[in-house]
């Protein structure tokens, strides 16, 4: 059966993303839009509009045109939304790069996305330039300043001529973030202006108790679709975003107290720290009304412990990069009474099905099944990968999420398991196949498989099962081999040596057998 949203539909956006944000920003005048939590630098809404227009004029004067791709790389900063919206203004698509990625990982994405330009920061300039050279990019700019490299300030043309750009909102891409599939390497997710701008309206429909003076902590990485969602939604709503480049508990807590944060968007490790770390004692959190956790499952007991300690509501939401990203949320007005563990109800304009992964038949209320979603926020597809797109979004427009969910009689959704193999380490996506490829590149390893297991803190971490070609190989050497080639969050953190990797006749790794072994060993 098809489940529908209990909420009234919202109108599909008739504007490109930058226009939605900047039209709203123009009405805010000199109110603070973004504050750098470390330096105290403030960018007003009028300043945001002016900066975006100047950079858009400059990028166009330099030769960037509609349909080009610019790669945006680096930690959270006040410059990030300026670059993002300036590119949108002239029809340039932004592909976002993880600041923790290695040069080799970035080069793969730069080539795959067909990026022409790259914008980074001085602290990450060396790997960025290495990646750009490997991928054959035309230009690398920095957001800040460094000798010998042009900055976005150098390129910007205040008062410069802005081109007239016609947009096909369903076809033209706003962003091209990369998301890992079930077993494959990361793929570019094509998110159109219509899908992102409409999802902004869908998400904001849940804010039925929003306040004009909301102050939002922007600590989740802007390169991630969750971070982009926070950025766009709250700028278009007129809130003030307090920007941190990364999560460091002491700095985070000082900022929370000093800036009188009212809303926090988080991932489970942040909620865990707020619930249990002694550093939270004595911190004034009285301004905080709500924490919304997403990107990975949050234990209901942990959520309740955090809420009790901080005196605010702690809720979950659900979405994917492939859904722009939101599909299920809890209304502000229902946050205090929503059932424990729920990710909310379907957002407006959103449909869902639950499908038995064995039979392919629909399952009913109260029964688990793979969650399928349909709505205007669904991606166009994976960039340059029509076969993988067809395997994820069927002919009827249903996105097969790979997540196992349950809906109760009240329309509340719960995510209970994953069909797909993706490991989520502290909210970051880690594809097992990528780590297996790194492992198998070693002549000392005959075969390998990777699954997610849970450590003593309850975090899912990558564990490698390794068949040795060299019997002197140690677990530490295996982990060091992987760590040398991947971003820190992708590192293998446990190793077990085995005689053989279980596989089907087709050669597919039988990860379920490995997971069953783990469960048996733990019991």
């Amino acid at each position: 059966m098809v489940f529908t949203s209990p909420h009234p539909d919202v109108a599909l956006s008739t504007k490109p993303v930058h226009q939605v944000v900047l039209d709203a920003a123009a009405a805010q005048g000199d109110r603070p839009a973004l504050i750098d939590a470390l330096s105290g630098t403030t960018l007003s809404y009028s300043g945001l509009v002016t900066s975006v227009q100047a950079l858009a004029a400059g990028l166009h004067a330099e030769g960037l045109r509609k349909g080009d791709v610019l790669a945006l790389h680096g930690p959270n900063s006040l410059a990030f939304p300026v670059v993002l919206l300036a590119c949108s203004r002239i029809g340039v698509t932004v592909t976002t790069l993880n600041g923790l990625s290695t040069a080799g990982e970035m080069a793969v994405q730069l080539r795959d996305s067909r990026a022409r330009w790259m914008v980074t920061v001085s602290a990450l300039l060396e790997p960025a330039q290495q990646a750009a050279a490997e991928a054959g990019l035309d230009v690398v700019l920095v957001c800040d300043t460094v000798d010998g490299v042009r900055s976005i300030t150098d390129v910007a043309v205040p008062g410069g001529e802005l081109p007239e750009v016609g947009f096909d909102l369903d076809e033209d891409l706003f962003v091209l973030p990369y998301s890992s599939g079930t077993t494959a390497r990361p793929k570019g997710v094509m998110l159109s202006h219509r899908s992102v701008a409409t999802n902004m309206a869908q998400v904001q429909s849940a804010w039925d108790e929003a306040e004009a003076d909301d102050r939002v902590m922007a600590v989740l990485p802007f390169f991630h679709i969750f971070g982009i969602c926070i950025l766009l939604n709250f700028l278009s709503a007129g809130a003030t975003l307090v920007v941190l480049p990364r999560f460091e508990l002491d700095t985070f807590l000082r900022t929370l107290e000093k800036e009188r944060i009212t809303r926090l968007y988080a991932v489970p490790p942040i909620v865990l720290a707020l619930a249990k770390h002694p550093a939270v004692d004595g911190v004034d959190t009285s301004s905080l009304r709500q924490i919304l956790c997403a990107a990975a499952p949050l234990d209901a007991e942990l959520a309740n412990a955090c809420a009790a300690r901080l005196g605010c509501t702690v809720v979950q939401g659900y979405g994917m990069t492939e859904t722009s990203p939101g599909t299920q949320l809890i209304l502000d007005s229902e946050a205090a009474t929503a059932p424990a563990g729920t990710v909310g109800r379907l957002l407006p304009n959103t449909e869902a099905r639950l499908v038995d992964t064995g039979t392919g038949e629909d399952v009913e209320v109260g029964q688990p099944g793979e969650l399928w979603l349909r709505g205007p926020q669904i991606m166009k597809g994976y960039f340059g990968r029509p076969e993988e797109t067809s395997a994820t979004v069927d002919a009827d427009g249903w996105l097969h999420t790979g997540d196992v969910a349950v809906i109760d009689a009240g329309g509340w959704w719960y995510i209970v398991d994953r069909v797909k193999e993706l490991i989520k380490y502290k909210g970051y996506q880690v594809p097992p196949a990528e780590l297996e490829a790194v492992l198998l590149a070693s002549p000392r390893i005959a075969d390998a498989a990777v699954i997610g297991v849970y450590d003593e803190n309850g975090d899912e971490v990558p564990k490698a099962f390794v068949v040795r070609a060299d019997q002197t190989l140690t677990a530490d050497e295996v982990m060091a081999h992987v760590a040398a080639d991947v971003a820190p969050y992708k590192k293998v953190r446990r190793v077990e040596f085995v005689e053989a990797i279980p596989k089907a006749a087709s050669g597919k790794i039988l990860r379920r057998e490995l997971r069953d072994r783990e469960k048996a060993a733990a019991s």
Side-chain angles (χ1 to χ4, degrees):
M1 65 182 292
V2 176
F3 301 99
T4 57
S5 171
H7 308 302
D9 283 353
V10 298
L12 302 187
S13 179
T14 58
K15 300 177 181 179
V17 174
H18 64 273
Q19 190 175 345
V20 175
V21 176
L22 297 181
D23 283 357
Q28 298 295 329
D30 291 331
R31 290 188 64 247
L34 300 125
I35 299 173
D36 186 313
L38 301 185
S39 68
T41 302
T42 298
L43 182 63
S44 69
Y45 273 98
S46 59
L48 174 65
V49 174
T50 301
S51 297
V52 168
Q53 292 175 338
L55 183 56
L59 293 174
H60 187 263
E62 293 277 342
L64 281 179
R65 293 294 182 267
K66 180 182 175 182
D68 286 338
V69 176
L70 179 144
L72 185 50
H73 171 241
N76 292 3
S77 69
L78 306 196
F80 193 104
V82 173
V83 177
L84 182 67
L85 295 170
C87 286
S88 175
R89 172 61 182 81
I90 60 174
V92 170
T93 300
V94 169
T95 187
T96 51
L97 289 162
N98 188 338
L100 296 176
S101 294
T102 64
E105 289 168 329
M106 287 191 287
V108 170
Q109 182 173 331
L110 293 173
R111 284 192 298 265
D112 189 76
S113 65
R114 303 174 194 168
R116 280 191 57 199
W117 282 36
M118 185 176 186
V119 175
T120 186
V121 294
S122 57
L124 300 175
L125 181 59
E126 184 176 346
Q129 287 180 323
Q130 183 182 336
E134 188 176 334
L137 259 66
D138 296 342
V139 178
V140 177
L141 303 176
V142 291
C143 290
D144 43 3
T145 57
V146 61
D147 290 342
V149 181
R150 297 175 75 200
S151 72
I152 59 172
T153 304
D154 296 327
V155 170
V157 181
E161 183 178 355
L162 289 165
E164 292 296 328
V165 181
F167 287 89
D168 183 328
L169 300 183
D170 294 310
E171 294 299 322
D172 294 336
L173 303 184
F174 169 61
V175 285
L176 187 65
Y178 271 63
S179 174
S180 300
T182 57
T183 58
R185 287 180 178 272
K187 303 176 289 293
V189 179
M190 296 188 288
L191 299 181
S192 70
H193 282 271
R194 181 97 69 195
S195 68
V196 174
T198 299
N199 193 240
M200 291 166 63
Q202 292 172 304
V203 168
Q204 289 176 31
S205 72
W207 299 347
D208 58 349
E209 292 186 354
E211 296 184 2
D213 59 352
D214 264 328
R215 297 174 69 84
V216 181
M217 183 81 84
V219 66
L220 298 182
F222 288 159
F223 76 83
H224 192 282
I225 192 62
F226 193 8
I228 293 173
C229 173
I230 296 164
L231 191 63
L232 297 175
N233 274 292
F234 283 106
L235 288 178
S236 64
T240 297
L241 280 84
V242 180
V243 180
L244 276 171
R246 66 191 63 83
F247 178 75
E248 294 174 344
L249 184 59
D250 289 343
T251 303
F252 172 88
L253 292 173
R254 286 198 303 272
T255 302
L256 179 68
E257 182 175 58
K258 175 186 175 184
E259 297 292 345
R260 306 298 296 164
I261 298 300
T262 62
R263 287 180 183 258
L264 169 63
Y265 283 63
V267 290
I270 294 178
V271 177
L272 176 65
L274 291 173
K276 297 186 176 182
H277 201 285
V280 179
D281 292 335
V283 176
D284 181 2
T285 62
S286 60
S287 62
L288 190 60
R289 300 198 318 274
Q290 186 183 102
I291 299 173
L292 186 145
C293 186
L298 176 68
D299 179 74
E301 291 186 8
L302 178 61
N304 290 336
C306 182
R309 188 181 195 191
L310 272 60
C312 65
T313 58
V314 178
V315 297
Q316 292 190 73
Y318 178 81
M320 305 171 66
T321 306
E322 290 84 347
T323 59
S324 302
T327 58
Q328 280 109 323
L329 277 179
I330 298 171
L331 297 182
D332 285 350
S333 57
E334 297 177 327
T337 58
T342 183
V343 295
R345 294 187 173 106
L346 289 170
L347 286 174
N349 311 70
T350 306
E351 299 175 302
R353 288 172 60 191
L354 287 174
V355 179
D356 187 289
T357 56
T359 66
E361 299 293 324
D362 283 356
V363 299
E364 302 298 321
V365 171
Q367 299 299 312
E370 183 184 3
L371 176 62
W372 292 9
L373 294 163
R374 185 166 66 182
Q377 69 269 54
I378 302 300
M379 68 172 179
K380 280 186 61 181
Y382 294 120
F383 185 67
R385 290 175 169 81
E387 291 184 1
E388 292 185 61
T389 298
S390 297
T392 302
V393 182
D394 65 28
D396 294 320
W398 290 106
L399 173 73
H400 302 196
T401 69
D403 288 317
V404 178
V406 172
I407 182 174
D408 68 17
W412 298 101
W413 290 85
Y414 307 81
I415 305 300
V416 297
D417 204 347
R418 285 206 302 276
V419 177
K420 57 189 179 182
E421 310 292 350
L422 193 65
I423 300 165
K424 283 206 170 179
Y425 174 68
K426 295 188 176 180
Y428 290 110
Q429 299 181 85
V430 183
E434 184 176 356
L435 299 182
E436 286 156 3
V438 174
L439 289 163
L440 293 174
S442 169
R444 304 178 71 190
I445 295 174
D447 203 358
V450 175
I451 64 169
V453 299
Y454 289 91
D455 66 13
E456 58 276 9
N457 296 320
D459 291 324
E460 190 178 24
V461 299
K463 175 177 178 177
F465 293 84
V466 174
V467 179
R468 286 184 282 207
D470 176 354
Q471 298 304 311
T472 67
L473 181 66
T474 67
D476 286 344
E477 289 172 327
V478 171
M479 290 187 282
H481 168 72
V482 176
D485 283 341
V486 302
Y489 67 90
K490 294 181 182 177
K491 292 191 298 186
V492 166
R493 295 168 192 274
R494 293 187 180 180
V495 175
E496 180 177 338
F497 294 109
V498 295
E499 294 298 318
I501 302 297
K503 295 181 180 180
S506 64
K508 182 180 179 181
I509 295 171
L510 299 175
R511 298 184 205 279
R512 177 66 66 184
E513 291 189 14
L514 295 173
R515 285 193 287 268
D516 289 345
R517 281 180 51 173
E518 281 294 300
K519 290 178 182 177
S523 61

